[in-house]
Amino acid sequence: MIYAVAVFAPLLGAIVSGLLGRSIGDRAAEAVSILVMVVAAICGVTSFIWIGFLHEPDGTVDIGSWVVSGSFRTSWTLRYDTLSAVMVGMVTFVSTLIHIYSVGYMEHDAFPRYRFFAYLNLFTFAMLMLVTSDNLLQLFFGWEGVGLASYLLIGYWYDRPSANAAAIKAMMVNRVADLPFAVGIALVFLTFGSIEFPIVFAGIQQHMNDMYHVLGSDWRAYEVIGFLLFIGAMGKSAQIFLHTWLPDAMEGPTPVSALIHAATMVTAGVFLMARMSPIMSYAPGALTFVTIIGGTTSLFAATIGCTQFDIKKVIAYSTCSQLGYMFTAAGVAVYQASIFHLFCHAFFKALLFLGAGAVIHAVSGEQDMRKMGGLWKKIPITYTVMWVGSLALAGIFPFAGYYSKDAILEAAYSAGGVGYYGFWCGLIAAGLTAFYSWRVIIMTFHGPSRMDHHVEEHVHESPWVMMGPCIVLAIGALIAGFTLRHEFIGEGWPEFWRDSIVITASNHVLANMEELPGWVGIAPTLVGLLGIATAYTFYMFVPSLPGRMASMFRPIYLLFYNKWYFDEIYDALFVRPGFWIARTFWQVGDVTLINGVPDGMAALTADGARGISKVQTGSLAVYAFVMLIGVVVLVALYLLIR
Amino acid sequence: MNQVGFPLLSLITWLPLVGCVVILSVRGDEETVASNARWTALWTSLIVFALSLLLWAKFDTNEPGFQFVENIPWLPEYGVGYKLGVDGISVLFVLLSTLLTPICILSAWEVIRTGVREFMIAFLILETMMVGMFCALDFVIFYMFFEGVLIPMYLIIGVWGGPNRVYSAVKFFLYTLTGSVLMLLALLAMWFQAGTTDITVLLHTQFAPALQTWLFLAFLASFAVKVPMWPVHTWLPDAHVEAPTAGSVILAGVLLKMGAYGFLRFSVPMLPQASAMFAPLMFSLSVVAVIYTALVALAQTDMKKLIAYSSVSHMGVVTIGIFTINMQGVSGAIFQMLSHGIVSAALFLIVGVLYDRLHTHEIDRFGGLADRMPRYALFFMLFSMASIGLPGTSGFVGEFLVIVGSLQVNFWLALLGGMGMILGVAYTLYLYRRIIFGRITRDDLKNILDLSPREIAVFVPLIALTLWMGVVPSSFTSFWDASVGAMVEQHTAALASEVKVAKVAPNEMPAGEVMR
């Protein structure tokens, strides 16, 4: 089946270009890895159309058994339903474009390139395994697989200490979240007796009121599961408290950022919520938590995005913020809207990163926007695609973001309760999003040039191998919203999603979205336009204003600029104490205390032996007497204990 | 019942000694003797390995009891016999031992230059002892092999080790021997009670709960040191640092499994009440081991010590799994033991590669090796990932099954026992970064060579196994599923019968719920 080809072709590419890369050369390795991706994309998009629009019935592709122990059984199985197919189509398509773009971007890299392309293939494969899994453990396989690939790619330039640090940080933070996730999977097994989706989902009603005892009281098992799984999702999708790895992940080459932020990795958490919707929908407590975290993240990350100067960091925080939107929607159990935003976001975020990559390429590797400016005449295509991406991100009609982001805000509002929190956070964040997007555009492309003239002389439009993918993505960012709206979140959703997304019978959020007060629908656009206008005022018309504002609200500015001091706090709370405890355990615990006792005893024995040797007199009588005493003692002990 | 028609287990056990005789009988100048010893040892161990593959092929996975049983009366009036046999729990450890021995011999090929003949003999004797221990079905035989392992290992560390080898060797010997003496007492007590030392009989003998407590503590003293459990683990880093590479490999690969195997073979099935009673203690010690030693590993400046501490941490997961005494927990523990046997052995070989080139384990002496040693970097990465339990490698399966098993006991046990997942990433990747990544700054690293064909040959089987165990673990778990299932069932039944006999709270809970 073509579905399996779509999943395994990238693995083949990773093996061939990774293991044989040195012998067949960089060009051949690139060719192989792009070829397999094109095959995967053709198969993936075909499957998406087949399953999503031509209503091919759901099913599975069995490959073999995996972990089996008693009643615990998992297998390697590819599941195809609409949710998986949407992800497969999107991942293979966007990833292929990023692969092609990378050929141009990595052209002048000092390292051998086959390694880079093998990692990209591996990354895509892991993500595909994640989204097509039919049980939680295979999902976890893909989950950890994208973790590994991101570690390898973030640390791709392994001679840079900062890249190595960022790579380890990404893996560490993810692992912190993965442990609760793994425990959550175990709890699913304990509750349902299986972790295979068909069995679990069939048992939803039966285990509805199962209780689980933890933290001193009984909770509904679904709530505990929901919390544990969501903590896993927070790590992978970089939600507040576990987001610190994502901005640092910018240490990798720009195509990697595009891959991490758009197609693979960070979307995994959102996907997990949608995939587990049958359980999550019945865990209202956990969902409330999801909305709070999602809403907070969308606002929090946007505030940081407004103050950063590194072009990639701004876009990175915008990803963080957009993921917050997706969780806001998941939290009010409108998974359709989260996946719709995920899908649209993949296009415009990949576009923004690839566009930013083209800018960086044009200015000889500079990423600081304070050293750019006035580029728009020199690289007009890049300028145009960045506009398209920003319009989509800011949610301006008729770009993709307009449909998906509005849907999320409307859903949050119509859900009420905690949804209002999500709505207001999201609405303010929408304004900030538009503001920092145009801040990027104006600082990068307009105003006087702040480059030194060596750089300026070399400014050039990127080659077609890089601009081609950008243009395709720009078209996607333009049309994805209105072409797919009907199926994803409109009246067509029941036929489109079928059983792959489950919401409770009492959940009418999607239907209620039509009957909201008029201002709710218009507000995001108005706020977005306001943000754009503010950005123009700040950076185009009154360029002295940002500096004055920064000094006027200095504490707030510093808080945002320093990313709310999360890194510093974590460093003081976990990293440094961790190393301190490690050294203490070693030097005091092991070397002094634990080793001290036997070593001391050894010394004692040595001294004792010298004393005892004096007792060895050679007199038989003494020996016999001592032996007798020994026998008496033994007999006495025996009688006593008996 | 014996599926092959000849005493296969005895053959596997004693054949290495035949190799020793051959090596001893060679005369000639030093070079001839050395070369002869190498080839004889390699061929002997390869033949033994080939024979042991018969076990894999002929083992009946549906049979929970012992197979390939051989029984020769020895001291019938005392109920002691020469009895060998394997069940699902022990069979793969025999294979692990026979697999790692040729790998060790190959890895020591050019490295051991003095006393090659004696070194090879020590290794072959060690193989006999290890295999014999996993096959023994008589407690006396088991005890002899269990103790016998110490002698060649003691010599390997003490003679071919590093500068501080004598201190380490003596420490290793004393620690492990002290525990063993208490096991001897337990052996005598059991013999008094049952009138035989036949393990198959002992497995179905009921010991009084009070006696069980004492027996359990005696076994604990012996096995805890071997595992090693916190706080009797400090002999291990010292032993590893001084041991030659091959010694470390076999120490980490097989010898550390002896303690856990002892728990599985004796403590849990023979002493069900005591096991249930002491389980909380075992969990606490294990959780401390997992977290404490993982943190200590983070602070190490010596590669071998770091991996030694990580071994203690990983073995903590094993002891958690064993004492959950449910299907997934025990199964995960066995899997983790096998996986650790492969992966930690491979990691010590990885360290050995650098030691052969620069004669140091200091982490600070290295850096930036990826430029010069891409193949080495790849292999190292793979085993690092297996060590931190990445799904798709062998390390994941055991760890995850133990989490599933321990969650059936207690939420916090699962969460804290799983901390190795997080801390493992910290010390492993931190180590990898300091050795492989960065730029080469030292002159002696600028011409360092990548893996030689001999070294690749050493690693390839381990890589294949790591991935095979990670992708198709069911082909391994199927070996012990029946045996572990029977063991868990017997344990539950034993506890239930005690509840009935003691008439403790007859209406409170059904028998099956006792473990919760």
Side-chain angles (χ1 to χ4, degrees):
Chain A
M1 160 118 191
I2 55 166
Y3 198 67
V5 175
V7 175
F8 286 105
L11 175 65
L12 179 74
I15 292 171
V16 172
S17 54
L19 294 185
L20 306 178
R22 257 186 325 157
S23 34
I24 60 176
D26 281 346
R27 274 283 164 228
E30 275 174 15
V32 168
S33 86
I34 287 174
L35 181 72
V36 295
M37 281 314 300
V38 169
V39 170
I42 292 170
C43 295
V45 174
T46 313
S47 311
F48 169 49
I49 294 168
W50 254 30
I51 295 160
F53 298 95
L54 303 179
H55 305 297
E56 161 94 6
D58 300 349
T60 54
V61 183
D62 275 315
I63 298 164
S65 71
W66 189 21
V67 181
V68 177
S69 168
S71 57
F72 184 91
R73 295 177 171 276
T74 52
S75 54
W76 296 106
T77 306
L78 303 185
R79 174 191 182 92
Y80 53 95
D81 58 11
T82 311
L83 182 59
S84 291
V86 166
M87 295 297 288
V88 169
M90 183 276 285
V91 170
T92 50
F93 184 75
V94 175
S95 179
T96 304
L97 293 175
I98 294 172
H99 273 72
I100 295 170
Y101 177 93
S102 303
V103 173
Y105 191 84
M106 300 304 285
E107 185 81 53
H108 308 295
D109 197 62
F111 283 120
R113 293 190 301 274
Y114 71 91
R115 203 163 57 90
F116 185 75
F117 281 85
Y119 292 167
L120 286 188
N121 275 171
L122 181 69
F123 209 155
T124 314
F125 166 69
M127 188 66 190
L128 290 171
M129 284 302 273
L130 194 163
V131 298
T132 58
S133 81
D134 194 39
N135 58 62
L136 275 168
L137 206 62
Q138 186 185 326
L139 195 151
F140 195 66
F141 167 82
W143 191 268
E144 295 288 281
V146 293
L148 166 68
S150 68
Y151 164 75
L152 293 171
L153 282 166
I154 295 167
Y156 175 74
W157 285 314
Y158 56 75
D159 52 346
R160 299 182 185 175
S162 56
N164 288 325
I168 293 183
K169 188 172 173 186
M171 193 85 169
M172 263 312 273
V173 176
N174 270 294
R175 270 285 167 128
V176 169
D178 289 348
L179 176 61
F181 184 21
V183 175
I185 296 176
L187 187 56
V188 170
F189 172 71
L190 223 62
T191 308
F192 294 93
S194 172
I195 54 167
E196 302 200 53
F197 292 145
I199 302 176
V200 172
F201 295 163
I204 292 290
Q205 297 300 332
Q206 193 189 335
H207 298 280
M208 190 63 77
N209 296 312
D210 284 15
M211 301 304 269
Y212 187 74
H213 185 87
V214 68
L215 284 174
S217 56
D218 284 321
W219 309 82
R220 281 187 55 235
Y222 289 6
E223 296 281 13
V224 183
I225 292 170
F227 265 103
L228 291 171
L229 296 189
F230 178 61
I231 292 173
M234 278 172 72
K236 200 76 20 184
S237 293
Q239 294 300 287
I240 187 166
F241 302 120
L242 292 173
H243 67 281
T244 53
W245 65 272
L246 190 67
D248 288 30
M250 294 300 107
E251 289 293 338
T254 308
V256 176
S257 312
L259 202 53
I260 290 180
H261 288 250
T264 59
M265 188 97 179
V266 295
T267 55
V270 181
F271 170 80
L272 177 71
M273 293 293 107
R275 176 50 88 205
M276 298 314 287
S277 60
I279 294 182
M280 295 306 291
S281 294
Y282 293 101
L287 282 185
T288 305
F289 183 62
V290 174
T291 308
I292 293 172
I293 292 287
T296 310
T297 308
S298 66
L299 182 57
F300 150 83
T303 60
I304 300 176
C306 292
T307 57
Q308 300 302 307
F309 291 108
D310 183 320
I311 183 167
K312 281 172 77 180
K313 282 243 160 95
V314 177
I315 308 178
Y317 277 103
S318 104
T319 305
C320 211
S321 164
Q322 298 300 310
L323 289 164
Y325 280 101
M326 297 177 208
F327 280 110
T328 307
V332 295
V334 187
Y335 313 99
Q336 300 91 329
S338 6
I339 297 293
F340 187 40
H341 194 51
L342 187 161
F343 189 88
C344 297
H345 177 257
F347 283 92
F348 57 73
K349 190 48 61 71
L351 173 60
L352 283 170
F353 266 115
L354 296 188
V359 170
I360 295 167
H361 197 74
V363 295
S364 314
E366 184 56 62
Q367 301 193 8
D368 191 331
M369 296 189 293
R370 285 170 295 191
K371 295 180 185 159
M372 297 179 187
L375 284 169
W376 71 278
K377 274 188 200 147
K378 292 177 179 148
I379 45 173
I381 306 178
T382 309
Y383 178 59
T384 316
V385 295
M386 285 297 276
W387 257 89
V388 174
S390 300
L391 284 169
L393 176 63
I396 305 298
F397 180 83
F399 292 88
Y402 168 79
Y403 295 94
S404 58
K405 192 191 284 181
D406 277 17
I408 285 175
L409 291 176
E410 285 172 13
Y413 188 87
S414 77
V418 73
Y420 290 130
Y421 176 75
F423 172 78
W424 286 109
C425 284
L427 191 64
I428 301 169
L432 295 175
T433 306
F435 171 75
Y436 64 67
S437 299
W438 264 265
R439 180 172 170 266
V440 167
I441 287 191
I442 298 165
M443 284 186 81
T444 311
F445 294 102
H446 294 279
S449 163
R450 296 177 295 273
M451 297 170 281
D452 68 51
H453 63 275
H454 286 297
V455 175
E456 198 159 358
E457 279 165 16
H458 287 109
V459 171
H460 57 281
E461 193 72 270
S462 300
W464 280 107
V465 69
M466 285 167 70
M467 292 328 290
C470 290
I471 292 168
V472 175
L473 287 170
I475 296 169
L478 176 61
I479 64 169
F482 55 81
T483 49
L484 295 173
R485 191 198 155 275
H486 176 77
E487 276 77 18
F488 275 70
I489 52 166
E491 296 80 48
W493 78 265
E495 298 92 74
F496 180 73
W497 292 109
R498 289 177 280 176
D499 299 333
S500 63
I501 285 179
V502 174
I503 55 173
T504 57
S506 57
N507 181 342
H508 301 298
V509 174
L510 219 47
N512 291 346
M513 275 162 55
E514 310 298 327
E515 297 146 22
L516 289 175
W519 65 270
V520 176
I522 309 167
T525 309
L526 287 180
V527 172
L529 291 173
L530 186 70
I532 297 173
T534 316
Y536 270 102
T537 320
F538 270 45
Y539 294 95
M540 198 98 150
F541 306 129
V542 197
S544 62
L545 204 54
R548 264 189 289 155
M549 294 286 282
S551 52
M552 222 155 80
F553 303 100
R554 189 154 180 79
I556 297 180
Y557 174 76
L558 282 180
L559 179 70
F560 292 175
Y561 182 70
N562 290 304
K563 305 143 194 169
W564 295 50
Y565 297 102
F566 265 101
D567 281 331
E568 287 77 5
I569 293 168
Y570 284 177
D571 193 52
L573 276 185
F574 302 114
V575 182
R576 268 182 286 158
F579 276 97
W580 181 82
I581 291 172
R583 277 191 302 274
T584 312
F585 275 173
W586 178 32
Q587 290 299 348
V588 179
D590 267 27
V591 175
T592 312
L593 291 178
I594 298 180
N595 263 350
V597 175
D599 285 353
M601 265 164 59
L604 210 70
T605 321
D607 292 346
R610 252 170 257 131
I612 286 170
S613 63
K614 288 178 196 147
V615 183
Q616 295 172 355
T617 55
S619 156
L620 262 180
V622 174
Y623 287 172
F625 181 70
V626 172
M627 223 170 101
L628 192 66
I629 295 176
V631 171
V632 171
V633 169
L634 277 178
V635 171
L637 276 176
Y638 175 69
L639 288 174
L640 272 176
I641 291 171
R642 197 172 64 114
Chain B
M1 184 190 66
N2 191 335
Q3 290 93 317
V4 283
F6 63 93
L8 177 60
L9 292 179
S10 286
L11 206 57
I12 297 175
T13 307
W14 299 111
L15 200 59
L17 288 192
V18 178
C20 291
V21 174
V22 175
I23 293 176
L24 276 175
S25 65
V26 173
R27 295 275 174 271
D29 59 72
E30 202 181 335
E31 196 45 44
T32 326
V33 172
S35 147
N36 210 287
R38 286 189 191 112
W39 283 106
T40 314
L42 181 64
W43 276 109
T44 311
S45 59
L46 283 176
I47 292 169
V48 170
F49 177 59
L51 277 173
S52 67
L53 286 180
L54 268 178
L55 285 179
W56 175 279
K58 298 279 182 182
F59 189 86
D60 177 6
T61 52
N62 294 320
E63 162 64 47
F66 291 97
Q67 306 180 31
F68 304 97
V69 176
E70 300 163 23
N71 196 355
I72 302 168
W74 182 27
L75 300 167
E77 58 272 37
Y78 296 104
V80 179
Y82 172 81
K83 190 170 182 185
L84 299 184
V86 287
D87 68 350
I89 295 171
S90 56
V91 61
L92 292 185
F93 291 103
V94 175
L95 281 153
L96 181 70
S97 312
T98 57
L99 170 78
L100 285 181
T101 306
I103 286 179
C104 283
I105 288 171
L106 204 56
S107 78
W109 204 255
E110 291 153 11
V111 183
I112 300 294
R113 298 185 181 283
T114 53
V116 178
R117 177 160 76 168
E118 290 73 16
F119 183 85
M120 294 300 167
I121 288 175
F123 248 93
L124 290 177
I125 294 176
L126 188 59
E127 181 170 28
T128 291
M129 295 298 166
M130 294 184 306
V131 173
M133 193 215 70
F134 286 121
C135 294
L137 278 190
D138 187 282
F139 203 164
V140 173
I141 304 285
F142 174 85
Y143 186 77
M144 283 160 59
F145 283 123
F146 193 81
E147 296 306 305
V149 168
L150 287 183
I151 299 162
M153 197 62 219
Y154 171 72
L155 292 175
I156 288 169
I157 299 175
V159 176
W160 289 275
N164 201 13
R165 56 183 179 264
V166 176
Y167 168 78
S168 294
V170 172
K171 194 172 180 181
F172 161 76
F173 199 87
L174 286 181
Y175 256 89
T176 44
L177 192 72
T178 317
S180 304
V181 173
L182 291 171
M183 184 166 74
L184 185 63
L185 285 178
L187 191 161
L188 289 173
M190 284 181 140
W191 177 71
F192 272 119
Q193 192 86 34
T196 176
T197 52
D198 186 334
I199 289 176
T200 49
V201 177
L202 291 177
L203 281 173
H204 295 97
T205 308
Q206 293 209 353
F207 298 98
L211 181 62
Q212 281 194 23
T213 307
W214 290 109
L215 289 175
F216 189 92
L217 289 173
F219 281 135
L220 178 63
S222 173
F223 298 144
V225 173
K226 282 265 160 68
V227 168
M229 293 178 75
W230 187 86
V232 286
H233 64 279
T234 52
W235 63 270
L236 186 73
D238 285 326
H240 270 306
V241 168
E242 299 303 328
T245 303
S248 285
V249 169
I250 215 79
L251 182 59
V254 183
L255 265 58
L256 291 196
K257 311 299 167 307
M258 290 166 47
Y261 175 73
F263 282 130
L264 273 174
R265 180 58 76 224
F266 296 95
S267 305
V268 171
M270 292 180 193
L271 315 169
Q273 277 82 21
S275 294
M277 187 174 99
F278 281 106
L281 172 73
M282 302 304 286
F283 292 146
S284 321
L285 291 180
S286 308
V287 166
V288 172
V290 167
I291 297 172
Y292 176 104
T293 48
L295 281 167
V296 173
L298 191 60
Q300 297 307 308
T301 54
D302 181 298
M303 285 187 258
K304 270 193 148 178
K305 271 200 175 167
L306 194 154
I307 298 169
Y309 274 111
S310 86
S311 291
V312 183
S313 181
H314 283 129
M315 292 308 287
V317 175
V318 171
T319 41
I320 291 175
I322 289 174
F323 283 92
T324 60
I325 324 186
N326 55 49
M327 190 68 205
Q328 285 79 30
V330 176
S331 195
I334 298 175
F335 204 99
Q336 174 82 345
M337 281 156 79
L338 289 170
S339 158
H340 180 260
I342 303 285
V343 174
S344 71
L347 283 172
F348 278 114
L349 285 168
I350 286 277
V351 174
V353 167
L354 292 185
Y355 187 77
D356 295 347
R357 285 161 174 68
L358 284 169
H359 301 284
T360 175
H361 309 129
E362 277 298 310
I363 296 172
D364 290 345
R365 286 284 285 105
F366 298 94
L369 293 183
D371 283 339
R372 292 281 311 163
M373 307 175 77
R375 252 191 225 109
Y376 178 77
L378 175 69
F379 289 3
F380 194 175
M381 174 53 74
L382 190 109
F383 291 121
S384 297
M385 287 301 138
S387 173
I388 65 175
L390 192 85
T393 64
S394 60
F396 171 69
V397 181
E399 200 155 315
F400 184 75
L401 283 175
V402 170
I403 289 180
V404 172
S406 49
L407 190 70
Q408 297 171 36
V409 177
N410 182 299
F411 178 82
W412 296 105
L413 179 65
L415 200 69
L416 294 175
M419 284 297 282
M421 256 179 79
I422 298 173
L423 297 169
V425 169
Y427 63 73
T428 310
L429 295 187
Y430 187 42
L431 169 73
Y432 191 83
R433 170 191 169 178
R434 283 179 289 173
I435 291 178
I436 300 293
F437 290 154
R439 280 199 185 287
I440 291 183
T441 47
R442 290 176 182 272
D443 287 335
D444 51 359
L445 296 179
K446 285 190 176 138
N447 297 311
I448 198 166
L449 294 176
D450 206 350
L451 298 178
S452 70
R454 176 184 64 85
E455 286 166 331
I456 292 176
V458 166
F459 284 115
V460 163
L462 298 176
I463 293 174
L465 266 172
T466 306
L467 294 176
W468 181 14
M469 288 176 78
V471 177
V472 201
S474 50
S475 57
F476 294 84
T477 49
S478 64
F479 273 87
W480 63 74
D481 252 8
S483 300
V484 172
M487 186 181 116
V488 171
E489 227 165 78
Q490 197 196 334
H491 180 83
T492 319
L495 290 189
S497 73
E498 202 217 9
V499 171
K500 252 180 255 157
V501 170
K503 297 236 181 321
V504 178
N507 300 324
E508 212 169 59
M509 52 175 78
E513 297 283 311
V514 172
M515 265 316 290
R516 299 218 167 181

